[in-house]
Every structure is written in C-alpha cells, then in structure tokens.
Amino acid sequence: MKKDNNTKEYFKKWQEIKLSDSSRARMKEELDAYISFHAVQGGVRVTDDGRSISQVPRRTLLFPLRLIYMPFIIMIAVVVGGGTSFAAQGAVPGDFLYPVKTEVNESVRSAFAFGADAEARLQAKLIEERVEEAKELKAEGELKGEAAITLANKTKRNAEHAEVALQESVKAETEATANKIIIALTEYNAVVENQTSLVVGISAFEQILVNGGFATELATGTSTISELQSRTSARLSGLQSVIAEHQADISAAVQAELTANLERAEELATDAAVAIEADARRLYDDAATALGEVEAKLSTIGTVEIDTDNGAIIDIDFNNVPAESNDDATTTDEDMDEDGVEVDVEADADASAGDSSLNVDGSVSGELNI
Amino acid sequence: MIQSKLEKVFADTFATYSDAIFRFCLIKVSSVEQAEDMTQEVFMRYWQYLRDGKEMTNTRSFLYTIANNLAKDWYKKKKSVSLDGVLDESGPTGLLADKKVVLSPEISASYQEALAMIDDMDENDKQVLLLTHVEGLTPADIASAIGETANTVSVRLNRALTRLQQRLHTYEKRQ
C-alpha cells in the first residue's frame, strides 16, 4: 500500500498539531516546580520508598563466616594460649613471651580486679613483679638497651594505672597500697641504678599520701628531719614563686585561700625548725598537709609541672586545664557555698578539690575553711 | 550535582518530545485540555524515573509507554463517570463537538481541519498511523510502547492506511 498525495497531506497536517505556546509555557513552569519539589535527595538516588539503590551491601558472606568460626578460634586460643600464658609468667623483658605476660596475662588479671582498691593492689603487685624482673635482668647482665627501656615503660605504665586507681580508692586501702608502691618503686629505681631514662617517679604516690593525710606515717618512717625540712622548704618556695609568677591567672578568692594555706605551712615549718624531733615531725606533717592542699588546688586549675626529686611544683600551665576539673562542676559542697561569689572556673576547682575522695575526712576540709 | 544534570536532560527531552506526546494524547482522549493535562502527567512520571535512576534504553518509546498507560487509566475513569452522565450527553461527540474545549486563537484553521479529519477515525488506526507516519517510529518501537507484538502492529498499520485512504477520497469528494 502506497501513500498517495492526500495521505501525505493528511499526515503533514497532523504533524502541525502542536502544543500552543501558552500551553507549553504553562506546562514547563508547572513541571519545573514539580521537579524542584521532587528533587534528587541529597545527591543519592532513592526509590519511592526512600531506599537508596547504591547502599545495598554486595558482599555479606565474609562477615557471617567469621562469626561462625569465632567460637572455634576462641577455643583454640584458650587451649593453646593457656599453656603459653602460664609459660610466659616467668618471662623477662627481651624474652619472646614477655609481651604475652605483660599484655595478655596482666590484662586478664586487671579485668578480674574489681574496684579501684583491687586494681591499685594489683598494680602494686605488678610493680613488685617489675622489680623482680629488673633484678633478674641485672643478675644476667641484661639490664640495658631495649630490655631496660621496655621494663621502664612497663613500670611507668603500672605506676600510672596505680595512681589513677589510688585516686579513686577508699581511704583505708590507699595508705597501705601507696606505701607498698613507694617501697617497690624505690627498690626498682635502686636496681636500675638511677639512670634518668629508666627511673620511675615516686612523688605522685607521696603526694597521694600527703593529700590523704597519711604523711605522718611517711614522716615518722624513712625520712630524716633534715630531709623533711628541705622537702618542705622546696615545696613551699616552689609554690610561692609559681603563685607569684601566675598572679594574673589566679582569681583573688582562690589566691586568698592559697596564700592562707601557704602562710600556715610557712609558720608550721618555721616552728618545726626549732622544735624537738617528735614535734618537728608533726609540724612538718601539718605543713605538708597545707602545702598538699595548695598543690591539689593548683592542679585543678592548670597543668602542674612537678620536680621529680622533691615533689615540689615548679611551674603551672593555665592553658591546659585538666579535663577532670570539669567533671565535678555540678557537685557542690560546703566550700562552694562559702565562696558563692566566685565565677565558674574557681567554683569548679573548689568542688573538685573538696570533692576528692581523699579529702572527705573532716580534718582536711576543716583546714580548707580557715 | 545530579539534580542539575538531570534537570538538563529533562528540559531537553521536554523540548524534543512534548509535541509528539501531545499528539499521541490527543488521539487517546477527546479534548485538547485533557491531552495537555495528560502530556504534563507523562513528563512528571518521566521525571520520577529519571530521579530514581531507573534505566531507560529508549526515551521516546518510554514516553509513549507512559502515555499509553495513562490513557488506559483515563478510559477506566471515563467509563465510570459516563454512566452517570450518559443521559445528559446528546448530539455529536468528539474533539470539536466538545463544547468545553475553548480553542486558543493560536490554533489555526488547518489545525482544526486536521483535528476534524482524525476525529472520526478508529482509535487504534489513528494510533498506529500517527506513530508511524507522523512520528516516524518503527513497528517494533510501537509494539513495545503499546504492548503489542511487532507483527500485530504491522498488520494493523496496513489496514489503517487503507481505511484512511478510502476515507480521504470520500472526504475529497464531499468538498
């Protein structure tokens, strides 16, 4: 069938049927509004029910497989690793199994030490183990190089964990554990022959004893009167110079409190210098408590730098406020109520200093309120 | 951005195919107004497909398919409506007889003439003739658009052309 002229004419006319300009313009306008309203969502193509096409996971086999085998992997680890970790218990730094001992075994022991007291006791025990390791290495003539550094790092880490745990532990437990740690660390430092890079600081634990009001034990113990005197004067002068240096950064209310404690400590130290030994120990002890308050306060409003020899604060950085000072921001106690006019930062510091679990006992906070 | 890229595609498609889709709609429904609405609806659906990232191998065939499906829906609706309105309906029906249609001045005399000619043809005939001889689709394209086999389309096309030519002869004689 061929198209004749009429038919061609007909189709031509048909082709002339078009949208009128006005209709087309209106339609375009409405469609533009439609497509911007029903726009592509967030650059991700989505289906009508909101599912993203491209987010369908393609390979899901591997992960379930791993989960299925996990019990077997754990069983193997227990059967094989049980013997290994037992064998590792006698390892010293430099041994193949030493990492198993320190990382695996001690993590497990730490996981079973419930509460801060148990954790602190465990860390004390671990520091004693470090001392044994140090002695063993020294006996073999291997306390040098990599092994010595590894040992020092482990000891430092145990000491840090112990310190954290002691801050949280209850008072009755703190004293014995802190003393144990001090003795162990002193022994360790003696074994490593006071090599600066290997020595682990003890002052933090002495500080804990001082803050907790346990300094009597320390004072009547190993230190001589002259040691107590020099330590007290070093801490006192250190604090005085630090506070004088950073006068601008410390608010008047806090400064008044700090100065009151410092003056009290100075008086006590002066009295102690001329007193008989028994009284002197008690006076230095009281002075240490007062100084401890000042140091605790300073450490809540800035990052303090401590002289490792005598535990004195030698500098303070106000740009780097310890995070924990804000943790107690919401808690209030009697100190805060008395200093109600203080601005936020000092209020935090007060709450923090007063709230410290070591200070809940009346004797210390009584001194704070002078 | 995907949105702006797709908007460009959409604008191009609308410029190219809006008249053709309008003509197709016009033979499916019996008024210019409804054909315009349907054309708009076709492009709205086209946008939804674009936006959802669905695959389209042939845009033109796809547009006709949408239009054809819309027309089917329209017939179903019309059927249920006309049962109520059947008693009121009297006199001639069709594109030009529809008194509700107000033709704009832009619509020329020849436009009206063409409308008059296609008006009294069988719808299936109009459909295949339009798509083949006006829009230039192949029987295969038409088949996919209206859901028939290519063979059926070819047969229908031949018969439609014969009928058209017969009609045009009588039309000419009447003039």
Side-chain angles (χ1 to χ4, degrees):
Chain A
M1 181 70 60
K2 271 191 168 180
K3 282 189 273 184
D4 55 25
N5 283 339
N6 283 338
T7 341
K8 277 183 192 161
E9 186 77 6
Y10 178 81
F11 289 134
K12 210 177 157 193
K13 276 183 184 162
W14 204 345
Q15 211 154 15
E16 281 162 13
I17 300 176
K18 284 177 182 167
L19 281 169
S20 65
D21 288 346
S22 62
S23 295
R24 186 198 305 277
R26 174 183 54 79
M27 210 181 278
K28 189 80 179 71
E29 199 176 301
E30 287 178 17
L31 284 171
D32 282 345
Y34 180 84
I35 66 174
S36 50
F37 186 74
H38 298 270
V40 178
Q41 289 172 13
V44 179
R45 292 177 171 191
V46 291
T47 56
D48 285 338
D49 58 359
R51 253 183 320 115
S52 163
I53 293 167
S54 59
Q55 285 174 355
V56 179
R58 290 182 179 203
R59 297 185 63 187
T60 52
L61 184 66
L62 193 61
F63 190 57
L65 259 186
R66 278 184 183 164
L67 283 182
I68 289 163
Y69 287 121
M70 202 49 85
F72 299 103
I73 292 169
I74 291 170
M75 270 175 64
I76 291 164
V78 168
V79 170
V80 176
T84 309
S85 67
F86 181 74
Q89 205 49 50
V92 290
D95 284 1
F96 179 68
L97 288 176
Y98 187 70
V100 176
K101 177 185 181 180
T102 55
E103 301 299 329
V104 180
N105 294 7
E106 290 176 7
S107 296
V108 171
R109 286 164 77 180
S110 175
F112 281 100
F114 296 108
D117 298 326
E119 176 70 25
R121 279 200 303 275
L122 172 66
Q123 294 300 339
K125 216 171 197 170
L126 293 178
I127 291 170
E128 285 168 357
E129 277 181 27
R130 296 290 96 82
V131 175
E132 292 307 310
E133 286 163 14
K135 284 178 180 169
E136 198 171 323
L137 281 176
K138 200 178 183 184
E140 292 168 5
E142 296 290 332
L143 187 59
K144 60 191 177 189
E146 194 85 357
I149 292 165
T150 307
L151 182 65
N153 287 337
K154 296 288 178 199
T155 313
K156 278 170 189 160
R157 209 177 65 176
N158 288 140
E160 282 163 13
H161 287 170
E163 196 185 335
V164 171
L166 280 177
Q167 305 284 1
E168 295 169 1
S169 77
V170 293
K171 190 179 175 180
E173 299 282 344
T174 307
E175 189 180 357
T177 314
N179 274 326
K180 206 171 167 186
I181 291 169
I182 289 168
I183 292 164
L185 285 177
T186 310
E187 199 177 353
Y188 165 83
N189 286 340
V191 174
V192 298
E193 290 168 333
N194 291 319
Q195 292 183 62
T196 353
S197 61
L198 302 180
V199 162
V200 177
I202 295 169
S203 58
F205 298 99
E206 291 178 343
Q207 194 62 53
I208 285 164
L209 289 179
V210 169
N211 285 349
F214 307 122
T216 317
E217 179 80 10
L218 189 70
T220 52
T222 52
S223 305
T224 64
I225 284 289
S226 67
E227 276 172 357
L228 283 176
Q229 190 179 2
S230 67
R231 184 182 294 168
T232 306
S233 65
R235 283 173 70 184
L236 185 61
S237 60
L239 284 171
Q240 278 167 339
S241 64
V242 163
I243 289 168
E245 194 182 330
H246 296 284
Q247 212 158 9
D249 296 317
I250 306 170
S251 78
V254 177
Q255 231 173 81
E257 189 199 310
L258 294 176
T259 314
N261 271 322
L262 280 179
E263 278 169 8
R264 182 178 151 75
E266 200 171 3
E267 275 173 30
L268 290 166
T270 315
D271 291 349
V274 293
I276 57 163
E277 185 175 332
D279 286 341
R281 285 192 181 277
R282 185 180 51 77
L283 290 168
Y284 280 127
D285 195 352
D286 288 348
T289 307
L291 291 171
E293 286 301 333
V294 176
E295 285 161 352
K297 180 105 194 173
L298 284 177
S299 63
T300 61
I301 57 176
T303 303
V304 292
E305 192 182 320
I306 297 170
D307 185 337
T308 46
D309 286 340
N310 54 21
I313 289 179
I314 51 174
D315 201 1
I316 182 161
D317 179 9
F318 288 97
N319 295 326
N320 194 3
V321 179
E324 62 264 27
S325 68
N326 292 327
D327 290 349
D328 297 323
T330 48
T331 43
T332 50
D333 59 9
E334 67 248 23
D335 296 336
M336 247 199 79
D337 294 338
E338 284 175 19
D339 299 334
V341 289
E342 286 180 26
V343 291
D344 279 3
V345 179
E346 293 102 50
D348 292 349
D350 269 356
S352 178
D355 250 17
S356 165
S357 58
L358 299 172
N359 295 342
V360 287
D361 192 273
S363 65
V364 175
S365 43
E367 293 205 18
L368 251 182
N369 294 337
I370 294 168
Chain B
M1 211 30 222
I2 294 170
Q3 174 77 10
S4 58
K5 210 170 130 191
L6 289 183
E7 275 177 22
K8 175 86 173 64
V9 172
F10 182 83
D12 288 349
T13 308
F14 183 74
T16 314
Y17 297 117
S18 55
D19 284 331
I21 295 301
F22 172 67
R23 284 191 288 267
F24 184 78
C25 292
L26 199 57
I27 61 167
K28 290 287 187 180
V29 298
S30 49
S31 88
V32 174
E33 232 175 21
Q34 276 168 340
E36 285 179 356
D37 286 351
M38 198 185 278
T39 306
Q40 189 165 329
E41 183 70 27
V42 168
F43 281 96
M44 281 179 184
R45 300 216 177 171
Y46 169 66
W47 170 255
Q48 285 170 12
Y49 275 78
L50 266 188
R51 185 196 62 174
D52 297 347
K54 290 180 181 163
E55 287 292 320
M56 274 171 282
T57 45
N58 186 336
T59 303
R60 187 162 63 157
S61 294
F62 180 73
L63 291 174
Y64 282 121
T65 309
I66 301 174
N68 195 50
N69 291 336
L70 284 176
K72 279 180 193 161
D73 294 346
W74 184 80
Y75 283 127
K76 273 184 213 156
K77 238 183 255 171
K78 194 192 168 199
K79 226 177 202 171
S80 58
V81 170
S82 64
L83 283 174
D84 299 329
V86 72
L87 293 173
D88 302 331
E89 295 282 330
S90 54
T93 53
L95 281 173
L96 295 177
D98 191 347
K99 292 187 181 68
K100 285 174 204 155
V101 177
V102 181
L103 294 173
S104 65
E106 290 156 279
I107 297 173
S108 63
S110 66
Y111 186 129
Q112 293 203 31
E113 198 183 334
L115 282 178
M117 281 194 298
I118 62 170
D119 191 33
D120 51 356
M121 277 173 68
D122 178 73
E123 196 224 300
N124 280 331
D125 285 359
K126 282 192 283 189
Q127 181 174 281
V128 286
L129 288 173
L130 170 84
L131 294 177
T132 314
H133 296 287
V134 182
E135 317 295 358
L137 268 72
T138 65
D141 285 343
I142 298 165
S144 78
I146 64 174
E148 301 277 1
T149 65
N151 205 28
T152 312
V153 172
S154 295
V155 171
R156 201 180 281 173
L157 181 60
N158 271 319
R159 287 176 187 164
L161 195 56
T162 315
R163 276 197 284 270
L164 174 68
Q165 284 171 344
Q166 285 167 351
R167 192 183 293 264
L168 285 177
H169 284 300
T170 43
Y171 184 77
E172 241 171 32
K173 277 173 197 164
R174 264 194 293 178
Q175 291 288 309

